[in-house]
Amino acid sequence: MKKKISPAWLLRGTFLVLTVVLGVFLAVRAVGNAAARANREGGYAPGVYTASASGFGGVVDVTVTIGDKGGITDVTAVGPDETPDVGGAAIPTLVSQILQRQSADVDVVSGATYTSNAVREAAAAALAQASGETGAARPTPEGDNLFIPGTYVGVSKGFGGDVEVTVTVSENAIESIAIGGEHETENIGTFAVEMLGERILSAQSPKVDVLTGATVTSNAILRALNDALTQAGADLKRFPDATDSGEAVNRVAVNMDADIVIIGAGGAGMTAAIDATQAGKSVILLEKMPYAGGNTTKATGGMNAAETHYQAEQGIEDSVEQFVEDTMKGGHDLNNRDLVTVMAQNSAAAIDWLDSIGAPLPKVSFSGGATNKRIHAPEDGSGVGAYLVTAFRRNLDELGVTVLYDTCATDILTENGAVSGVKAQSKTQDVTITTRAVILATGGFGNNEDMIVRYRPDLKGTVTTSAPGITGDGIVMAQAIGADLVDIEQIQLHPTVEQATSMLITESVRGDGAILVNQEGKRFTNELLTRDVVSAAELEQTGSYAYIIFDQRLREGLKATEKYISTGITVQGDTIEDLAAQLDIDPATLAQTLADWNGYVAAQEDPDFGRTTGMEADLSQAPYYAIKIAPGIHHTMGGVKIDTQARVIDTQGNPIPGLFAAGEVTGGVHGGNRIGGNAVADIVVFGKVAAQSAIAYLAQ
Ligand code: ADP
């Protein structure tokens, strides 16, 4: 069969060739360096220089040609993996700016920050070569060895800041890799980062596939690794290519069995897997991504629970009944009250259970839609999702649960109407697992545009905050064996999502005092109304977007803002007028809006939109910040119909024997609007209910 060469590899090939050409050039240049310097009129040594940097979707290569007089005479930039309409479209502008200014210090193209920064970084590196600042000869290992033994550190720019890779090598092996990058972990979880490290170690090569859903971070890690390995004297050409060539492999049929098969290693699936294993059942957990966590990783707030020992210890009065009422009200009374009652009644026990597995959530506070302080969060202020996923993974490891990563469940098998097995596929294996009980925990369908449009045509083209694996597979598999769906068209929009990166700007920014303005520089809503109402108001504005505006005081008080700033999605101005000018808003109007708002804060009254919360401090400390945002799909509240025992119900109203479901794959708990803190309550409570029901079913 003819081997296919992908455009990315062609590019890399070109890059390698250029690197070799450059090497020869540098060697020749070293001899006649003085002469070459004398030739420079524009400041650079004539020649062709190439460098690359990580963009939004992949590597961006920039080639700079320096003419005889030492000026930049030609620039090309190639970024095949950049979003065509965004980063791709920005490249010609950046290239012409570099030529015009004869410098890599060009303006970021608005809305294409990643690509812009990559072009700037790569152009600067190429020009550094042209200035003779780089090009030091690579140290040479002894004999035919791959490395000079030692520990080396490489650094590269990732999603939210610098990624640092520390690699220890012996003469011919990569012995260990440590990957640091505080900002990255918040987005995809430390385990994803660890897994790329494992992939590199087992391949003994930096030429491995990037992690799906974590391209920018993966590329940054690989670039930092290449940097470290080059310092160790490695010739990168000598490493084996361990990337997936896309060619057909000989598939292997694998048969397994388990008491319970759980599909999806997000919060609900991992809870169920731990609970069932603790009860002595054999469990296989299937996860289609190379890492666990799903949307759960992204949960930042906490877990709602009522009548917990933490509330009692902190003197907080609350009740299960109030929790039920708040949830029903928040969900516009569309919720299934029985399911909500199960969630509320079992929430305190779920908190105790989290204590028992080493994942306490002791910090209790208020959150939107709750009458009492009810949301439980980690002590250290870390995001609840990443915290729980890390704890769940540790428990799965300790319990020795079989987790098959990169393995996508495709079918639930039945015999005489009862569950009899699961079929799944990995890159190389067709797996058939015989089992009597299956727990679906595949999450929602926020990342499946076809499904979104099928149920909500009005949301076509809306960005999503969902993780890449959240494509509604569980709903499709359950429907194929007769399951009923409930509230499937109920999809929650989050009003503050940056559109180029799908990064969610947490509600706390508005809670701490930020306002929303439209392109005309005016407020248009009470910013702290429910997510659906604020989203709808944004969609009515010019261009269906808005800007979230905050100041230096707010930045200093809210850690989350640092990520927005380091990611490059924030526009900063020394004065409000300066900020307005950068946003193409009339400066006088925006200044008036801010002045009015600060007056309302002083008077503690918002005559325009009746806002009453998030008014503790005004917006008056320069510099000022803005992020362009619009609504994004956040949570699919409908899904598979379950009863209070987490049994999946068919279209005739009967439980499907052996099929259980928990978490975002199900419908009914959240009704028409999920309140913050209830997603985590849902996954932990119903993950445990599903496990216990499956165990009871097996005993029948
Ligand atoms: P929940 O919050 O309900 O636990 P999450 O979004 O956290 O849901 O997790 C769902 C998990 O299920 C994700 O890790 C996702 O990759 C995984 N998943 C989705 N579809 C499949 C499938 N067909 N096979 C295996 N895993 C799946």
Side-chain angles (χ1 to χ4, degrees):
M1 192 203 282
K2 211 171 148 209
K3 191 172 159 75
K4 273 199 213 139
I5 302 176
S6 72
W9 279 107
L10 254 180
L11 256 179
R12 268 166 236 181
T14 315
F15 179 64
L16 270 179
V17 171
L18 281 171
T19 312
V20 173
V21 170
L22 177 65
V24 173
F25 170 80
L26 283 174
V28 172
R29 193 170 63 114
V31 179
N33 219 2
R37 257 195 210 111
N39 269 340
R40 285 189 218 165
E41 283 174 24
Y44 301 116
V48 178
Y49 304 88
T50 298
S52 18
S54 296
F56 184 64
V59 171
V60 175
D61 292 324
V62 173
T63 303
V64 178
T65 306
I66 306 294
D68 288 344
K69 296 194 171 151
I72 304 174
T73 56
D74 191 28
V75 180
T76 55
V78 195
D81 298 325
E82 302 309 279
T83 315
D85 295 345
V86 187
I91 285 180
T93 314
L94 294 157
V95 162
S96 78
Q97 274 196 59
I98 296 170
L99 265 173
Q100 242 173 36
R101 297 195 188 172
Q102 291 286 304
S103 155
D105 190 16
V106 293
D107 298 333
V108 167
V109 175
S110 158
T113 314
Y114 285 103
T115 311
S116 303
N117 284 337
V119 171
R120 282 155 45 119
E121 192 186 322
L127 289 173
Q129 293 169 25
S131 314
E133 287 167 19
T134 56
R138 173 168 58 82
T140 332
E142 249 176 59
D144 205 26
N145 289 349
L146 276 176
F147 308 112
I148 303 164
T151 297
Y152 303 87
V153 181
V155 182
S156 177
K157 197 164 168 41
F159 192 68
D162 282 343
V163 171
E164 205 178 82
V165 172
T166 307
V167 62
T168 301
V169 291
S170 56
E171 285 166 351
N172 282 304
I174 304 174
E175 300 291 343
S176 70
I177 300 178
I179 300 168
E182 193 196 332
H183 300 290
E184 308 307 305
T185 54
E186 288 176 36
N187 295 300
I188 52 166
T190 31
F191 28 88
V193 169
E194 277 166 25
M195 277 183 182
L196 188 62
E198 282 163 23
R199 212 176 256 188
I200 294 160
L201 275 179
S202 82
Q204 284 293 308
S205 168
K207 296 176 186 166
V208 295
D209 283 317
V210 299
L211 288 171
T212 323
T215 317
V216 177
T217 302
S218 301
N219 278 329
I221 291 169
L222 295 178
R223 287 170 48 74
L225 175 69
N226 284 345
D227 176 13
L229 293 178
T230 308
Q231 293 171 43
D235 175 358
L236 299 181
K237 291 195 292 297
R238 288 180 65 191
F239 290 109
D241 182 354
T243 55
D244 177 17
S245 64
E247 287 180 17
V249 285
N250 289 331
R251 303 187 63 76
V252 184
V254 176
N255 292 302
M256 306 172 84
D257 59 74
D259 291 334
I260 304 173
V261 174
I262 300 170
I263 308 177
M270 288 195 282
T271 299
I274 295 165
D275 204 40
T277 309
Q278 284 175 333
K281 297 295 159 196
S282 69
V283 167
I284 294 178
L285 178 56
L286 298 175
E287 171 53 55
K288 74 173 177 184
M289 300 298 286
Y291 47 87
N295 276 355
T296 300
T297 306
K298 299 178 165 223
T300 50
M303 168 172 155
N304 286 339
E307 300 184 29
T308 67
H309 73 93
Y310 291 119
Q311 286 176 316
E313 285 152 23
Q314 293 165 43
I316 299 164
E317 281 187 25
D318 194 15
S319 69
V320 165
E321 292 70 33
Q322 193 59 55
F323 185 5
V324 173
E325 292 315 317
D326 288 346
T327 302
M328 295 299 298
K329 185 170 170 225
H332 310 315
D333 260 323
L334 197 71
N335 330 44
N336 176 330
R337 183 176 279 273
D338 293 339
L339 294 180
V340 174
T341 304
V342 169
M343 178 172 77
Q345 281 176 340
N346 290 282
S347 61
I351 288 283
D352 295 342
W353 181 76
L354 289 174
D355 285 344
S356 78
I357 64 160
L361 297 175
K363 225 171 103 182
V364 190
S365 53
F366 276 117
S367 87
T371 310
N372 303 310
K373 285 189 178 177
R374 184 180 297 143
I375 194 161
H376 292 61
E379 180 82 75
D380 64 359
S382 55
V384 69
Y387 170 85
L388 287 181
V389 170
T390 304
F392 290 157
R393 279 229 326 157
R394 190 178 58 237
N395 278 271
L396 291 173
D397 282 352
E398 281 166 14
L399 291 166
V401 178
T402 305
V403 188
L404 303 183
Y405 288 105
D406 284 315
T407 306
C408 181
T410 54
D411 301 277
I412 300 162
L413 307 175
T414 53
E415 262 173 39
N416 304 324
V419 166
S420 61
V422 173
K423 269 190 182 300
Q425 287 195 331
S426 73
K427 244 177 239 168
T428 53
Q429 296 184 329
D430 292 319
V431 185
T432 307
I433 312 173
T434 304
T435 186
R436 284 181 57 218
V438 168
I439 299 175
L440 278 177
T442 47
F445 58 99
N447 225 327
N448 182 334
E449 200 183 354
D450 287 347
M451 258 174 108
I452 295 280
V453 173
R454 185 176 325 142
Y455 298 120
R456 285 286 300 275
D458 58 310
L459 295 180
K460 188 170 172 35
T462 309
V463 302
T464 181
T465 61
S466 281
I470 309 308
T471 50
D473 302 9
I475 293 172
V476 175
M477 283 187 277
Q479 270 193 302
I481 60 166
D484 201 3
L485 304 184
V486 55
D487 296 342
I488 196 73
E489 69 295 340
Q490 295 298 330
I491 295 174
Q492 181 168 64
L493 295 181
H494 194 290
T496 51
V497 179
E498 199 281 327
Q499 302 287 295
T501 55
S502 299
M503 188 179 277
L504 190 149
I505 311 304
T506 169
E507 239 126 36
S508 313
V509 181
R510 280 169 289 148
D512 279 9
I515 58 168
L516 297 176
V517 301
N518 56 22
Q519 189 60 51
E520 288 73 38
K522 295 188 171 153
R523 286 178 69 223
F524 52 89
T525 182
N526 168 354
E527 291 84 352
L528 284 162
L529 293 176
T530 48
R531 291 171 174 177
D532 47 350
V533 177
V534 178
S535 296
E538 281 170 11
L539 293 174
E540 281 170 17
Q541 307 309 307
T542 308
S544 302
Y545 61 81
Y547 297 98
I548 185 163
I549 311 275
F550 55 97
D551 71 346
Q552 182 65 15
R553 174 209 53 86
L554 193 149
R555 173 186 176 175
E556 284 172 16
L558 189 64
K559 199 174 149 212
T561 55
E562 292 309 323
K563 188 171 68 182
Y564 312 144
I565 289 162
S566 63
T567 307
I569 56 175
T570 311
V571 177
Q572 181 174 338
D574 289 339
T575 61
I576 293 163
E577 288 80 359
D578 175 22
L579 187 72
Q582 294 184 59
L583 303 174
D584 259 341
I585 294 178
D586 175 46
T589 312
L590 188 62
Q592 188 60 49
T593 300
L594 267 284
D596 289 347
W597 171 250
N598 290 341
Y600 302 162
V601 171
Q604 286 294 296
E605 194 185 346
D606 169 17
D608 293 343
F609 300 103
R611 176 164 159 181
T612 54
T613 49
M615 296 176 75
E616 277 78 41
D618 64 11
L619 300 172
S620 58
Q621 272 185 41
Y624 297 92
Y625 303 89
I627 304 172
K628 188 174 174 183
I629 48 86
I633 292 165
H634 189 47
H635 191 106
T636 49
M637 294 171 291
V640 170
K641 187 172 188 175
I642 54 165
D643 66 7
T644 53
Q645 296 168 53
R647 298 184 298 185
V648 174
I649 305 301
D650 70 14
T651 48
Q652 312 301 313
N654 302 311
I656 298 175
L659 187 60
F660 307 86
E664 198 177 341
V665 67
T666 67
V669 175
H670 307 296
N673 179 53
R674 177 178 68 78
I675 61 173
N678 271 357
V680 181
D682 180 14
I683 57 182
V684 182
V685 169
F686 280 100
K688 281 171 63 63
V689 170
Q692 293 304 321
S693 295
I695 292 166
Y697 172 79
L698 291 175
Q700 281 169 17

